[in-house]
Amino acid sequence: MKRHGNLYPQITNFWNLYAAARKAQKGKLNRYNILEFNYYLSVELEKLENELKSKTYKPGAYRTFEILEPKRRMISAAPYRDRVVHHALCNIILPIFENTYIHDSYANRVNYGTHRALRRFTSFARSSRYVLQCDIQKYFPSIDHEILKTLLRRKIKCKDTLWLLDTIIDNSNPQIPINEHFPGDDFLSPLDRRRGLPVGNLTSQFFGNVYLNGFDHFIKEKLKASKYVRYVDDFALFSDDKEFLAEARLAMEEYLASLRLIMHPAKSQLFETRHGANFLGFCILPDIIRVRTENLRRAKRRLKRLKAEYEEGKIELEQITHSIRSWIAHIKHGDTWRLRTKIFEDFVL
């Protein structure tokens, strides 16, 4: 396996940092911290460049908050200047790892995404009798720092780049405590290992793909599963052979244990595709794709909140219309989207 060196000069290059700032501010130009950064843009970028080159760069403290939908999660927002560094790093190292990913890993990749994953899932579901649909329990809080660093070193040998990667990983803020034991552990092992990445970082999304990349290849090349789809920690195998999928589950659980991960016991199930499967907000049935009712309720609640904020003068009308257009574009991937768009008629201002 080829390992890449001499990456750090590309990462710390002023114009790479400038391109990173352009990406980091996309869709957020009106925020005060970004406006302030951009007012002194050249000065701020030169300061970051010098800190990175001298290795005096230190990430700032995360701002944390909880979201309740689609499920309760803690979101961590890094300071804006750190997000610029994350983009600068990913600009250079993402292409190195992109070439190692399987075709059917769809999250956080250019020209992939949820809708392409949905189409692939639907194609497999409608051409297979059974599906083994799985979810990893508390995925991002469970990612083991030592294992992640080892996986990164399989492709990167540039010591300065590894220093920056380690700095970002080590600066991860505390996540939900995970106290699972795995083969070879003693009583205190879970307490001795650092785990967890902040949901919300660009780098965390990248690390999440790297962490399960070997797992993807194991399923495709060792288990010989021709029909397999993964989106972050949601994945599914399809087959007409029920026993094959049952045996595959045992093998996958063993492999995941080597990454100190556990399948979610309630969300990992083997069943016939004719009963319909939920994936990325849709219910995929043999003859129709429906938007899940809970997703509709969540969209309606969000629009009510946006409308109230607009009436209070907190946001512009454009933000509401953008949300509506995004939602309509999303549900067009289902077969009942014309009926579902009627829920938005009450929100015309």
Side-chain angles (χ1 to χ4, degrees):
M1 181 180 292
K2 181 181 178 181
R3 298 174 70 225
H4 295 257
N6 198 33
L7 301 172
Y8 204 60
Q10 301 173 60
I11 294 168
T12 58
N13 177 273
F14 178 88
W15 293 110
N16 181 51
L17 291 169
Y18 176 77
R22 294 289 299 272
K23 287 184 178 181
Q25 69 184 258
K26 191 174 182 181
K28 305 169 185 175
L29 273 172
N30 293 328
R31 296 186 181 178
Y32 176 78
N33 59 336
I34 298 176
L35 290 171
E36 184 180 31
F37 188 94
N38 285 344
Y39 188 80
Y40 302 101
L41 183 61
S42 294
V43 174
E44 292 286 356
L45 293 180
E46 286 177 3
K47 185 178 179 182
L48 268 180
E49 180 183 16
N50 291 332
E51 288 179 13
L52 289 167
K53 288 182 175 179
S54 64
K55 293 186 181 178
T56 57
Y57 165 74
K58 293 182 179 179
Y62 285 94
R63 178 176 61 87
T64 62
F65 55 94
E66 272 194 342
I67 61 170
L68 303 178
E69 298 174 342
K71 59 183 179 181
R72 188 169 185 172
R73 289 189 299 172
M74 184 178 78
I75 304 297
S76 302
Y80 178 68
R81 73 192 308 266
D82 292 339
R83 298 203 296 274
V84 172
V85 173
H86 298 168
H87 277 276
L89 172 65
C90 288
N91 282 349
I92 305 304
I93 65 174
L94 268 177
I96 294 171
F97 287 87
E98 178 67 28
N99 293 330
T100 71
Y101 296 151
I102 66 166
H103 175 74
D104 286 315
S105 169
Y106 288 91
N108 310 309
R109 298 177 67 187
V110 177
N111 298 323
Y112 280 74
T114 56
H115 298 143
R116 190 170 171 182
L118 175 66
R119 290 195 295 271
R120 190 67 158 171
F121 187 101
T122 302
S123 173
F124 287 159
R126 291 179 174 175
S127 62
S128 309
R129 185 176 178 184
Y130 298 100
V131 57
L132 172 61
Q133 194 167 2
C134 305
D135 179 278
I136 296 175
Q137 186 168 270
K138 298 177 181 176
Y139 178 51
F140 282 99
S142 299
I143 290 178
D144 186 275
H145 290 191
E146 182 180 339
I147 295 174
L148 175 60
K149 290 177 182 180
T150 299
L151 295 173
L152 291 168
R153 280 159 172 76
R154 291 181 180 177
K155 291 296 293 180
I156 296 176
K157 64 181 179 181
C158 175
K159 292 182 179 180
D160 293 335
T161 301
L162 290 171
W163 168 82
L164 180 57
L165 286 163
D166 290 350
T167 297
I168 293 171
I169 294 169
D170 293 340
N171 192 64
S172 299
N173 58 338
Q175 303 295 305
I176 300 170
I178 305 294
N179 295 312
E180 300 289 348
H181 285 77
F182 294 90
D185 284 357
D186 57 32
F187 182 73
L188 296 177
S189 289
L191 301 177
D192 293 337
R193 305 184 72 96
R194 285 209 64 196
R195 293 175 304 279
L197 298 176
V199 176
N201 272 6
L202 174 67
T203 47
S204 295
Q205 298 169 11
F206 162 66
F207 293 148
N209 270 345
V210 171
Y211 205 76
L212 287 178
N213 188 30
F215 178 66
D216 293 338
H217 284 277
F218 170 76
I219 292 174
K220 297 290 289 184
E221 297 159 16
K222 299 296 183 181
L223 300 185
K224 305 296 183 183
S226 58
K227 298 179 180 180
Y228 167 70
V229 178
R230 180 173 68 81
Y231 191 90
V232 192
D233 61 328
D234 294 329
F235 56 95
L237 286 75
F238 302 82
S239 178
D240 292 328
D241 186 345
K242 187 176 183 179
E243 293 302 316
F244 166 75
L245 294 178
E247 292 175 4
R249 174 170 183 159
L250 297 176
M252 290 190 299
E253 287 176 337
E254 184 177 351
Y255 189 100
L256 288 173
S258 71
L259 296 174
R260 304 187 68 83
L261 299 174
I262 295 175
M263 277 192 200
H264 196 295
K267 297 181 181 179
S268 301
Q269 299 178 347
L270 171 57
F271 55 93
E272 292 186 61
T273 53
R274 65 185 176 89
H275 296 307
N278 293 323
F279 188 64
L280 300 179
F282 292 86
C283 181
I284 296 91
L285 293 155
D287 58 348
I288 198 169
I289 302 174
R290 296 184 181 277
V291 181
R292 294 183 64 191
T293 302
E294 177 53 36
N295 285 48
L296 287 172
R297 293 196 189 104
R298 187 161 60 247
K300 290 174 72 173
R301 288 194 294 267
R302 173 172 169 76
L303 285 173
K304 285 182 180 179
R305 186 170 63 252
L306 289 174
K307 184 177 180 181
E309 290 177 356
Y310 169 75
E311 291 171 347
E312 294 170 7
K314 294 180 179 178
I315 62 173
E316 301 292 331
L317 177 60
E318 183 182 352
Q319 290 181 253
I320 300 180
T321 56
H322 176 73
S323 290
I324 293 175
R325 287 170 185 163
S326 297
W327 170 257
I328 292 174
H330 176 63
I331 62 177
K332 277 185 177 181
H333 292 269
D335 298 319
T336 58
W337 71 274
R338 288 182 179 84
L339 297 174
R340 303 304 178 115
T341 53
K342 289 183 179 179
I343 70 169
F344 296 103
E345 292 177 355
D346 294 337
F347 298 97
V348 177
L349 298 172

